[in-house]
Amino acid sequence: MATWIVSSLPASEPLTRSEIKNYLKIPSATTADDTLIDDMITGARQFVERYTSRALITQTITEYFDQFPVASSRNDLLEPRIIKLHIAPVVSITEATGLSYIASGGTPAAYTDWDNTGNAKYFLDINSGANGLGPARICKRKDVEWPAIEEYPNAVKVVYVAGYGAAGSDVPATIKTAMRRIIGTWYFHRKTAQNEWQDVLDLLSPYRVHK
């Protein structure tokens, strides 16, 4: 089982207030709903991120796992060697502190032999989750074993940076179009039937991370 939190929030939003007011045809001098619009921008981003399992603007994710991967009945030879990260696209993992676990006996420990190139015992594969539909993965060489851990909830912790970039211009246009439609629906139709969301979901479906 994996759980995750946003441990460092994005510094900006994919869309600005002025962009949304222009989209909604609200005069810039009309400020009565500015706070509402700001909240809707944040809410639309959060909706998109939850639906797609993607971080839009650069942010730090802390993800917890109860154990290291083990083989299942699917007979996938790679399965015991990879940790699939929940959020895409992954930018990096801090080498010194980004991967840690609770070792046997309950002592916190960190990975000491890993990198982003595949030369170490453990390495980060970001290609799966960058522009593709799969999640990024932490992989280990087949000639090494995962460290022994304490049987403890959230015994394995991964801290990583995810997102398309620091600016709204880095976010795919289709995703921002979906956000505009979400905000427009929230603003003009405060009570919306579920089937009116289908066009938004259709826009976002190609960006959903397939786990």
Side-chain angles (χ1 to χ4, degrees):
M1 178 180 177
T3 58
W4 61 272
I5 61 171
V6 179
S7 47
S8 179
L9 295 172
S12 62
E13 295 292 346
L15 296 168
T16 65
R17 181 196 299 165
S18 61
E19 286 176 315
I20 292 302
K21 290 178 76 170
N22 182 62
Y23 175 75
L24 299 176
K25 306 302 181 185
I26 300 173
S28 58
T30 302
T31 60
D33 285 343
D34 279 5
T35 300
L36 175 63
I37 290 170
D38 290 344
D39 288 344
M40 286 182 172
I41 292 171
T42 300
R45 171 182 58 78
Q46 292 173 339
F47 174 88
V48 170
E49 289 178 335
R50 291 284 181 174
Y51 182 76
T52 63
S53 293
R54 290 184 178 270
L56 303 189
I57 298 293
T58 303
Q59 54 197 267
T60 302
I61 307 295
T62 300
E63 189 160 359
Y64 297 92
F65 302 85
D66 289 338
Q67 61 185 17
F68 285 110
V70 295
S72 72
S73 58
R74 293 183 299 177
N75 196 30
D76 185 344
L77 296 179
L78 283 178
E79 186 179 19
R81 293 168 48 196
I82 60 175
I83 298 175
K84 295 180 180 180
L85 300 178
H86 187 83
I87 304 299
V90 173
V91 177
S92 64
I93 296 178
T94 304
E95 293 189 21
T97 60
L99 295 90
S100 59
Y101 57 96
I102 300 176
S104 298
T107 303
Y111 291 83
T112 56
D113 186 11
W114 82 281
D115 59 25
N116 289 338
T117 66
N119 295 322
K121 292 180 180 179
Y122 313 101
F123 61 94
L124 175 64
D125 168 26
I126 63 174
N127 295 322
S128 299
N131 295 315
L133 296 180
R137 307 179 297 179
I138 296 172
C139 309
K140 75 174 182 68
R141 295 200 321 247
K142 64 180 181 180
D143 59 330
V144 299
E145 299 295 331
W146 292 114
I149 64 171
E150 187 75 8
E151 293 184 1
Y152 194 81
N154 302 322
V156 179
K157 181 174 76 171
V158 183
V159 182
Y160 56 98
V161 176
Y164 287 101
S169 58
D170 297 318
V171 179
T174 303
I175 291 179
K176 290 191 288 187
T177 296
M179 286 185 61
R180 291 186 183 96
R181 292 191 182 182
I182 292 169
I183 295 167
T185 298
W186 285 347
Y187 189 82
F188 290 116
H189 307 285
R190 307 298 167 91
K191 295 182 179 180
T192 303
Q194 179 64 34
N195 58 9
E196 294 183 39
W197 284 90
Q198 191 57 52
D199 63 332
V200 171
L201 301 184
D202 289 343
L203 283 169
L204 295 175
S205 289
Y207 293 92
R208 298 189 79 181
V209 176
H210 292 219
K211 302 178 184 64

